[in-house]
């Protein structure tokens, strides 16, 4: 009507409403088809719960088409879970052992990325349902038919109903950032040969678009495969390239030099070609080779002793040369990783070894690397898998030994209410019990009024299901449990004669499941990733300090000291980086430990992203500096490098001790933010390029540590390099 403003539905309700409509349509269609059309109550139950499992309980990220593709790939896994659960339910002990093994395997599958992690709760439900009595292998056919029908309806609905626009992919984000890097490199070839504050801010924004927190879960390259690893490597290298470009100082005499200009121009060309490659273009082979040649020429200009009669290059010029060479290295890494991410085994840019160790490695081997890297108590994925597997096993044991009525619901309550921190578990349980009690009262009243008239329940079920799946995710766990309690009663009232005691059983089941979840929340890593993040970051810095000292000793001795490089070298630091990244990812999903009722995230006191960057910079810089042949430094330069390396390593150990102090860690008024490296030692005269390259690398590590200790830029600090 004219003149009447249309009321917009809140965004949260609009999103959950679309999803609820799909789940309701699929679940109701499968349930009514088998229950009333074919008179197959077993198939009806499995059709409904298959849709609820992957559509309601699972949190598969992405658009509808992406979720449909994930569900289609998981179809054989769903069949296997129903078969195994059916046959292991013959005895309580076999069902308990199966719950332990399957529960751990499904939860630990989260190491494969956001999609397996999101699907895991739904897959757990598909195993829990057949693992309870009655033991009826003769109904396996009906169970599989119902499961398949429910999943087929779900896949079709996700792909066709309410299609959602897809967000920009990580490849497109990386291509945009590569274009930004090309623009910055081009600007650095023209006066004033440095970026303005606005241009640095634009580079920072482009870099920030590649941070995992700003990328939708479905688009994050977190899988163990070669393409995902290469795409993640592309994002990290692009952020490094933008950071190096933003930090490049203007030439001291206003003249950049032909060699430096040539390198920066070639960097711009390679970045542009890399962006085109990320947009499904050809491999950037020629620009890559051109940059290799330009880099080698600049390296030859400033490397080694100065020829007799030639003018000495000022230290400021050599420092700028070293910074430009680091820019070239980052650009080469971006191009190589992007080519691997787009073309996989058909990539034509030479990846060499070392940082691209995964190139050409078979997928099962890469999966083994990922699983082995997280097979230990320091991994939050391992901790979560152990916690949920033990809780589900205990719930199944209690249900089997005590013949708990409707023990399936107790196990499901354990699955849905167990959280990664004790504080969050208690908060969830309080709300869940209050919601379940309210839902039970509504259920008792409805069952008393409607009695055995199944037509009433059949009419109300889809309406209530739509309401529950729309409101529950938005209002929180209390509403969700209360609405789901009524939904359970509406379903089971159509499968067996209902009584008001069904509400009583539901409250008992949730109470038992909540108690089990609370017990294991207390016993198994009750602070989640809060403590683990600090320990993982501290271990990363300790390993990085070892590499810094070994690399400095090798550079100072002209290669006389062997420092680990590449793969299988550097494995300790590589594994520390992997564990720190996983702990950081879980930490971002958790509220403040022991926080207040507002459940606000913790204030930002540490820049964890800078710590991760320091770990990656340590690996990459060490490999670059130790590439043969190594030239010998003079005595003064060698001593300077050794002192600088020890200073940076010592600073890493100080920050590490501050993050994870031991019982006997000494405390003192030692500042975590150290002085500028150039002020630490006297700069030797006539030092070769390798000296300045090493100092530039150590300076970038100190900048990472400084940014980390300050917890990010403060007010009035202006733009910060990415």
């Amino acid at each position: 009507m004219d003149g009447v403003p249309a009321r917009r539905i809140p965004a949260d309700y609009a999103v959950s409403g679309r999803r609820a409509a799909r789940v309701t349509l699929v679940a109701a269609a499968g349930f009514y088809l088998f229950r009333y059309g074919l008179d197959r109550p077993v198939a009806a139950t499995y059709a409904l719960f298959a849709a609820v499992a992957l559509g309601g309980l699972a949190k598969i990220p992405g658009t509808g088409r992406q979720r449909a593709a994930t569900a289609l790939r998981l179809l054989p896994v769903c069949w296997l879970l129903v078969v195994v659960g059916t046959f292991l339910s013959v005895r309580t002990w076999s069902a308990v052992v199966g719950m332990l093994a399957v529960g751990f395997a499904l939860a630990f599958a989260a190491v494969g990325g956001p999609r397996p992690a999101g699907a895991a709760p739904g897959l757990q439900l598909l195993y829990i349902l057949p693992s309870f009595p009655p033991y009826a292998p003769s109904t396996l056919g009906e169970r599989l038919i119902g499961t398949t029908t429910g999943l087929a309806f779900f896949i079709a609905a996700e792909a066709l109903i309410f299609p959602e626009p897809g967000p920009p992919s990580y490849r497109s984000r990386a291509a945009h950032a590569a274009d930004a890097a090309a623009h910055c490199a081009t600007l650095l070839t023209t006066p004033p040969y440095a970026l303005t504050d606005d241009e640095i801010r634009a580079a920072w924004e482009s870099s920030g678009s590649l941070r995992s927190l700003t990328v939708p879960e479905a688009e994050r390259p977190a899988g163990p495969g070669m393409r995902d690893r290469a795409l993640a490597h592309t994002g990290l290298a692009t952020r490094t390239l933008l950071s190096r470009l933003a930090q490049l100082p203007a030439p001291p005499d206003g003249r950049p030099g032909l060699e430096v200009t040539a390198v920066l121009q070639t960097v711009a060309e390679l970045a542009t070609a890399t962006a085109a490659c990320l947009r499904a273009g050809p491999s950037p082979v020629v620009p890559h080779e051109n940059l290799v040649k330009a880099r080698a020429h600049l390296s030859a200009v400033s490397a080694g002793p100065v020829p007799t009669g030639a003018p000495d290059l000022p230290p400021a010029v050599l420092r700028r040369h070293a910074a430009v060479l680091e820019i070239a290295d980052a650009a080469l890494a971006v191009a190589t990783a992007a080519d691997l991410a787009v073309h996989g085994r058909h990539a034509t840019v030479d990846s060499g070894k070392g940082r691209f160790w995964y190139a050409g490695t078979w997928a099962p081997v890469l999966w083994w690397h990922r699983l082995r890297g997280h097979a230990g108590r320091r991994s939050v994925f391992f901790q979560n898998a152990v916690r949920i597997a033990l809780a589900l096993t205990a719930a199944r044991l209690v249900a089997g030994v005590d013949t708990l009525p409707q023990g399936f619901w107790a196990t499901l309550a354990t699955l849905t209410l167990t959280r990664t921190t004790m504080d969050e578990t208690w908060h969830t349980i309080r709300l869940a019990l209050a919601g379940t009690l309210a839902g039970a009262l509504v259920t008792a009243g409805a069952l008393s009024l409607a009695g055995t008239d199944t037509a009433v329940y059949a009419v109300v079920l889809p309406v209530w299901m739509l309401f529950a799946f729309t409101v529950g995710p938005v209002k929180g766990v209390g509403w969700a449990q209360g609405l789901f309690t009524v939904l359970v009663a509406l379903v089971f009232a159509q499968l067996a004669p209902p009584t008001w005691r069904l509400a009583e059983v539901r409250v008992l089941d949730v109470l038992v499941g909540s108690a089990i979840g609370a017990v294991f929340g207390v016993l198994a890593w009750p602070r989640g990733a809060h403590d683990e993040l600090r320990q993982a970051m501290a271990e990363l810095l300790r390993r990085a300090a070892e590499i810094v000292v070994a690399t400095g000793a090798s550079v100072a001795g002209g290669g006389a000291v062997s420092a680990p490089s590449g793969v299988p070298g550097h494995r300790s630091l590589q594994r520390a980086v992997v564990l720190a990244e996983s702990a950081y990812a879980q930490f971002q999903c958790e509220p403040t430990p022991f926080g207040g009722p507002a459940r606000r995230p913790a204030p930002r006191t540490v820049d964890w992203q800078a710590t991760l960057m320091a770990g990656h910079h340590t690996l990459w810089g060490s490999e670059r500096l130790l590439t043969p042949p190594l030239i010998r430094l003079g005595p003064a330069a060698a001593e300077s490098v050794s002192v600088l390396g020890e200073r940076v390593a010592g600073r890493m150990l100080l920050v590490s001790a501050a993050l994870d102090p031991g019982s006997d860690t000494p405390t003192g008024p030692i500042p975590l933010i150290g002085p500028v490296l150039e002020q630490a030692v006297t700069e030797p005269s006539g030092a070769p390029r390798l000296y300045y390259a090493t100092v530039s690398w150590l300076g970038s590590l100190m900048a990472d540590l400084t940014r980390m200790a300050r917890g990010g830029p403060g007010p009035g600090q202006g733009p910060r390099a990415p």
Side-chain angles (χ1 to χ4, degrees):
M1 295 184 297
D2 295 337
V4 179
R7 298 187 61 184
R8 296 181 59 87
I9 300 176
D12 291 343
Y13 285 102
V15 172
S16 65
R18 287 192 294 268
R19 188 168 187 176
R22 288 192 292 261
V23 175
T24 300
L25 178 62
V26 169
F31 183 77
Y32 291 148
L33 171 65
F34 288 108
R35 176 65 185 90
Y36 298 105
L38 302 176
D39 193 23
R40 299 290 184 181
V42 174
T45 303
Y46 278 79
L48 184 144
F49 278 102
V52 171
L54 290 190
L57 187 58
K59 302 298 180 184
I60 303 174
T63 63
R65 292 184 181 274
Q66 290 173 326
R67 291 192 293 270
T70 300
L72 184 61
R73 288 192 293 269
L74 290 175
L75 191 55
V77 178
C78 298
W79 293 336
L80 179 63
L81 293 174
V82 172
V83 171
V84 173
T86 297
F87 285 102
L88 290 184
S89 64
V90 60
R91 296 284 187 275
T92 297
W93 70 265
S94 61
V96 168
V97 172
M99 190 69 70
L100 178 64
V102 174
F104 177 85
L106 292 177
F108 194 58
V111 301
R115 287 189 176 90
L123 296 178
Q124 298 275 19
L125 174 57
L126 284 178
Y127 175 77
I128 292 172
L129 182 62
S131 68
F132 279 85
Y135 172 65
S138 59
T139 64
L140 179 60
E142 282 193 44
R143 294 180 177 187
L144 290 176
I145 291 173
T147 301
T148 305
T149 303
L151 292 177
F153 286 173
F154 170 77
I155 292 170
E158 288 287 340
L160 301 176
I161 299 177
F162 301 129
E164 307 160 85
S169 66
Y170 197 83
R171 272 176 55 177
S172 65
R173 290 169 179 259
H176 176 75
D179 282 332
H183 178 66
C184 291
T186 301
L187 292 174
L188 290 171
T189 62
T190 59
Y193 307 110
L195 301 181
T196 64
D197 285 352
D198 290 340
E199 291 159 355
I200 291 176
R201 187 175 293 107
W204 180 81
E205 291 174 355
S206 297
S207 174
S209 68
L210 296 176
R211 293 186 62 179
S212 59
L213 294 181
T214 65
V215 179
E217 275 191 306
E219 303 301 331
R220 296 174 189 170
M226 180 177 65
R227 291 177 184 263
D228 269 8
R229 289 178 186 268
L231 191 54
H233 199 157
T234 302
L236 187 61
T238 305
R239 293 194 65 202
T240 302
L241 174 60
L242 286 166
S243 175
R244 296 294 184 263
L245 289 167
Q247 293 172 350
L248 183 67
D253 54 359
R255 293 176 297 178
L258 296 178
E259 296 82 4
V260 169
T261 301
V263 170
L264 292 175
Q265 288 175 344
T266 314
V267 165
E269 294 171 1
L270 180 57
T272 301
T274 300
C277 175
L278 289 167
R279 297 186 177 101
S283 300
V285 178
V286 175
H288 186 278
E289 294 175 350
N290 292 340
L291 182 55
V292 170
K293 295 176 183 177
R295 184 199 180 283
H297 183 59
L298 177 60
S299 178
V301 168
S302 52
V306 179
T308 305
D312 292 342
L313 292 176
V317 173
L318 290 174
R319 282 196 298 271
R320 195 167 192 270
H321 283 191
V324 172
L325 290 172
E326 286 206 7
I327 290 174
D329 286 335
L332 292 172
V334 172
T336 305
D339 192 26
L340 287 170
V342 175
H343 300 109
R345 296 183 180 277
H346 302 288
T348 52
V349 173
D350 183 19
S351 59
K353 296 182 180 179
R355 69 181 76 174
F356 301 105
W357 61 271
Y358 51 82
T361 305
W362 291 101
V365 177
L366 294 176
W367 266 97
W368 170 248
H369 274 285
R370 176 66 62 86
L371 294 174
R372 186 180 61 179
H374 286 282
R377 65 184 185 88
R378 295 262 64 96
S379 169
V380 292
F381 290 119
F382 181 83
Q383 293 176 4
N384 291 341
V386 170
R387 181 190 297 110
I388 194 64
L390 291 178
L392 292 177
T393 301
R396 182 63 183 87
L397 180 62
V398 170
V401 172
D402 292 346
T403 60
L404 187 69
Q406 297 293 341
F408 163 77
W409 300 111
T411 308
L412 181 59
T414 302
L415 174 65
T416 55
L417 300 181
T418 302
R419 295 295 188 267
T420 56
T421 68
M422 188 61 249
D423 176 65
E424 192 181 4
T425 298
W426 278 120
H427 181 78
T428 301
I429 287 174
R430 290 196 300 269
L431 294 177
L433 290 177
T436 302
L437 181 60
L441 294 176
V442 174
T443 298
L447 294 177
S448 299
L449 291 175
T452 59
D453 189 356
T454 57
V456 174
Y457 305 120
V459 172
V460 174
L461 176 61
V463 178
W464 190 268
M465 190 180 300
L466 179 63
F467 176 70
F469 288 140
T470 300
V471 175
V474 177
K475 300 292 287 185
V477 67
W479 279 80
Q481 285 291 329
L483 296 172
F484 195 67
T485 298
V486 180
L487 176 62
V488 168
L490 295 176
V491 171
F492 277 80
Q494 300 177 65
L495 298 173
T499 65
W500 67 269
R501 298 189 65 87
L502 187 62
E504 176 187 349
V505 170
R506 171 66 178 164
V507 173
L508 175 63
D509 290 336
V510 172
L511 182 62
V512 171
S514 300
I516 293 173
V519 168
F520 284 95
V522 171
L523 297 179
W525 300 283
R527 289 173 64 89
H530 181 260
D531 286 349
E532 198 60 52
L533 178 64
R534 293 185 174 274
Q535 294 170 1
M537 293 296 185
E539 178 66 14
L540 184 152
L541 290 176
R542 286 192 289 268
R543 296 300 182 184
E546 296 173 359
I547 299 299
V548 167
V549 171
T551 303
S554 292
V555 171
V561 179
S562 175
S565 177
V567 172
H570 282 166
R571 282 182 176 172
S572 296
L573 180 54
Q574 287 173 342
R575 185 171 186 271
V577 169
V578 168
L579 295 180
E581 287 176 336
S582 61
Y584 178 63
Q586 178 176 311
F587 179 76
Q588 297 301 319
C589 301
E590 293 180 351
T592 306
F594 312 112
R599 319 297 289 172
R600 291 188 296 268
R604 181 179 177 181
T605 57
V606 178
D607 187 348
W608 301 115
Q609 192 78 9
T611 313
L612 294 174
M613 294 293 287
H616 286 285
H617 289 169
T618 302
L619 282 171
W620 294 1
S622 176
E623 292 172 358
R624 182 180 66 253
L625 293 172
L626 296 179
T627 301
L630 296 182
I631 64 172
R632 286 193 173 273
L633 305 181
E639 181 181 359
S640 177
V641 164
S642 297
V643 171
L644 292 176
E646 291 169 1
R647 181 176 291 273
V648 173
R651 192 63 54 182
M652 286 180 169
L653 294 177
L654 281 176
V655 178
S656 172
L659 290 178
D660 184 26
S663 58
D664 58 348
T665 299
T667 58
I670 302 176
L672 295 181
I673 301 176
V676 179
L677 279 184
E678 285 77 1
Q679 302 172 356
V681 296
T682 303
E683 189 173 71
S685 60
R689 179 203 62 83
L690 181 60
Y691 169 81
Y692 291 99
T694 306
V695 171
S696 179
W697 171 60
L698 295 173
S700 68
L701 295 179
M702 187 64 86
D704 290 336
L705 292 174
T706 300
R707 189 159 59 243
M708 172 195 169
R710 284 176 177 160
Q717 289 181 338
R720 177 168 61 94

